[in-house]
Amino acid sequence: MSVKIAILAGDGIGPEIIAEAEKVLHCLRLEFGFSAEFEHAPVGGAGFDAAGHPLPEPTLALAHQADAILLGSVGGPQWEQLERDLRPEQGLLGLRAGLELFANLRPAILYPQLANASTLKPEIVSGLDIMIVRELTGGIYFGKPRGIRIREDGQREGFNTLVYSESEIERIGRSAFETARKRSRRLCSVDKANVLECSELWREIISKLGKDDYNDVELSHMYVDNAAMQLVREPKQFDVMVTTNMFGDILSDAAAMLTGSIGMLPSASLDSHGKGMYEPIHGSAPDIAGRGVANPLATILSVAMMLRYSLDEPVLAGHIEQAVGKVLDSGLRTEDIASSGMQVVGTADMGDAVVAALRAA
Ligand code: IPM
Ligand code: MG
């Protein structure tokens, strides 16, 4: 059976890194019997330029139809002056909300070959393998009311709403506990229950879920400020972390940097049926866009996550991950992960190298 993959390259370095991921997909099709069709559509600033909206109707329709979605990145300075509803980020947020992709899995894995790329001491980060499960369709990102209003005294004030329902907390909790079950059965839930009612409910629901349905998983709780500190102090104490949309946004960038380069890390955003959108966790990097130097590995590894989580092809996923490992072993590096004695290559050469290693699998 052929699967349909929607490819949304987006903005900035998006088209460059997606092109390399597509080389990998074509190689799987030609040489590994992977049966898939690909369809492209614009999103983000590219969506605005093509159709006047960051999430054009046909793009959302394609995303709904597809079995999985591969996304590059969105955003860039040329769209920053637009009204908020038309900015590129709304394309991404619209896809997350429109497809109910509430569970965002963000692994932070340190490749042994890149131990020197981290700004932390090698002994603190070597062997690091954390999974952050971030709630993605609720919380302060989507809560209403929101806006900027004028107060009686004439001053403007900005306001947003942090809100989570019991069912929203429970479903992300289940995803996290299930993820923990497939790993070391340790889960740390991160909140701010000492200050926020919303977090108080979060902690109560997660605790109850643990007690009632996931007794085999060791559950701990941590305040977000402490979690940020612990992540840089002793990151290997964590295995799976679960948290809200905004805390997860922040902690996942911190965790990514422990591994040396945000250019290496993929992510999956899943609905309750396993359908998902896959994207590198780095952004559109407008400063290096068009120069052919971006690291395509996070996007290529996102293809591996797609094969594993949505398309039931764990063997092919493993082939891709091994191919990336071999390329790193061979000493090839893009600029962002370069270190002395290594050979610095551009985006396309890195993609070609992964395909060559894949062919040899
Ligand atoms: C991310 C990004 C997005 C977010 C932006 C681009 C809207 O930072 O995926 O982490 O805040 O969720
Ligand atoms: Mg972010």
Side-chain angles (χ1 to χ4, degrees):
M1 206 190 65
S2 181
V3 296
K4 182 163 182 171
I5 300 175
I7 299 186
L8 316 179
D11 312 321
I13 59 172
E16 295 164 64
I17 53 180
I18 284 286
E20 303 315 308
E22 288 195 70
K23 287 181 188 167
V24 170
L25 283 165
H26 287 297
C27 174
L28 292 180
R29 199 164 62 162
L30 289 175
E31 305 196 21
F32 292 83
F34 175 56
S35 179
E37 34 168 323
F38 310 113
E39 203 172 319
H40 298 79
V43 73
F48 178 79
D49 290 347
H53 195 277
L55 183 54
E57 201 45 56
T59 301
L60 182 60
L62 170 66
H64 272 293
Q65 282 161 26
D67 296 293
I69 301 142
L70 183 65
L71 184 112
S73 52
V74 298
Q78 63 270 53
W79 301 288
E80 260 163 29
Q81 303 310 320
L82 291 170
E83 254 175 71
R84 177 166 299 278
D85 286 356
L86 295 177
R87 284 187 215 153
E89 290 73 17
Q90 296 304 317
L92 187 57
L93 296 173
L95 281 166
R96 290 173 180 172
L99 301 173
E100 280 196 77
L101 305 171
F102 68 91
N104 185 211
L105 306 187
R106 299 195 161 187
I109 294 172
L110 182 89
Y111 283 77
Q113 300 93 328
L114 301 181
N116 291 324
S118 177
T119 47
L120 272 74
K121 296 189 193 103
E123 64 268 27
I124 302 289
V125 291
S126 70
L128 185 79
D129 182 354
I130 297 176
M131 179 69 90
I132 296 184
V133 180
R134 168 189 176 193
E135 200 291 328
L136 202 59
T137 51
I140 200 164
Y141 270 53
F142 293 95
K144 288 194 177 121
R146 61 190 296 157
I148 298 174
R149 63 190 166 203
I150 302 181
R151 293 193 326 200
E152 274 177 16
D153 67 359
Q155 263 201 75
R156 288 183 308 154
E157 66 183 8
F159 58 101
N160 290 86
T161 302
L162 170 59
V163 55
Y164 272 113
S165 68
E166 292 180 301
S167 58
E168 280 178 307
I169 300 169
E170 189 183 326
R171 71 176 178 178
I172 191 65
R174 282 195 190 281
S175 301
F177 277 111
E178 294 293 338
T179 304
R181 264 193 184 152
K182 292 189 198 122
R183 295 170 51 107
S184 71
R185 294 178 187 258
R186 282 189 300 123
L187 176 64
C188 178
S189 172
V190 177
D191 62 37
K192 189 70 186 173
N194 51 344
V195 178
L196 305 172
E197 287 80 359
C198 189
S199 277
E200 200 181 307
L201 184 68
W202 176 280
R203 192 176 282 220
E204 182 193 313
I205 303 283
I206 300 280
S207 299
K208 180 165 181 344
L209 194 57
K211 230 177 259 130
D212 292 351
D213 292 354
Y214 296 95
N215 232 326
D216 53 316
V217 175
E218 187 192 314
L219 173 66
S220 59
H221 301 275
M222 203 180 270
Y223 297 138
V224 64
D225 49 349
N226 186 25
M229 181 174 77
Q230 296 299 334
L231 262 179
V232 290
R233 192 183 77 90
E234 199 197 328
K236 283 187 272 181
Q237 70 185 280
F238 297 110
D239 189 60
V240 181
M241 302 173 90
V242 62
T243 191
T244 58
N245 204 342
M246 186 155 76
F247 294 162
D249 179 45
I250 299 165
L251 293 178
S252 63
D253 267 27
M257 212 47 222
L258 299 174
T259 71
S261 173
I262 200 164
M264 291 297 298
L265 300 179
S267 75
S269 306
L270 305 171
D271 72 3
S272 46
H273 312 288
K275 173 162 169 171
M277 179 162 81
Y278 298 81
E279 55 179 312
I281 86 158
H282 60 69
S284 57
D287 51 322
I288 58 165
R291 288 181 34 216
V293 296
N295 186 348
L297 294 179
T299 314
I300 290 172
L301 291 167
S302 297
V303 172
M305 280 191 102
M306 171 190 289
L307 290 161
R308 182 166 284 122
Y309 287 99
S310 285
L311 303 180
D312 197 23
E313 295 278 8
V315 175
L316 295 183
H319 285 330
I320 294 178
E321 287 156 355
Q322 278 154 24
V324 169
K326 276 192 207 152
V327 170
L328 294 175
D329 283 339
S330 76
L332 295 194
R333 301 284 186 272
T334 42
E335 261 176 18
D336 57 310
I337 49 173
S339 56
S340 71
M342 299 294 147
Q343 188 191 342
V344 177
V345 296
T347 311
D349 286 340
M350 186 55 104
D352 290 341
V354 174
V355 169
L358 190 58
R359 281 214 178 96

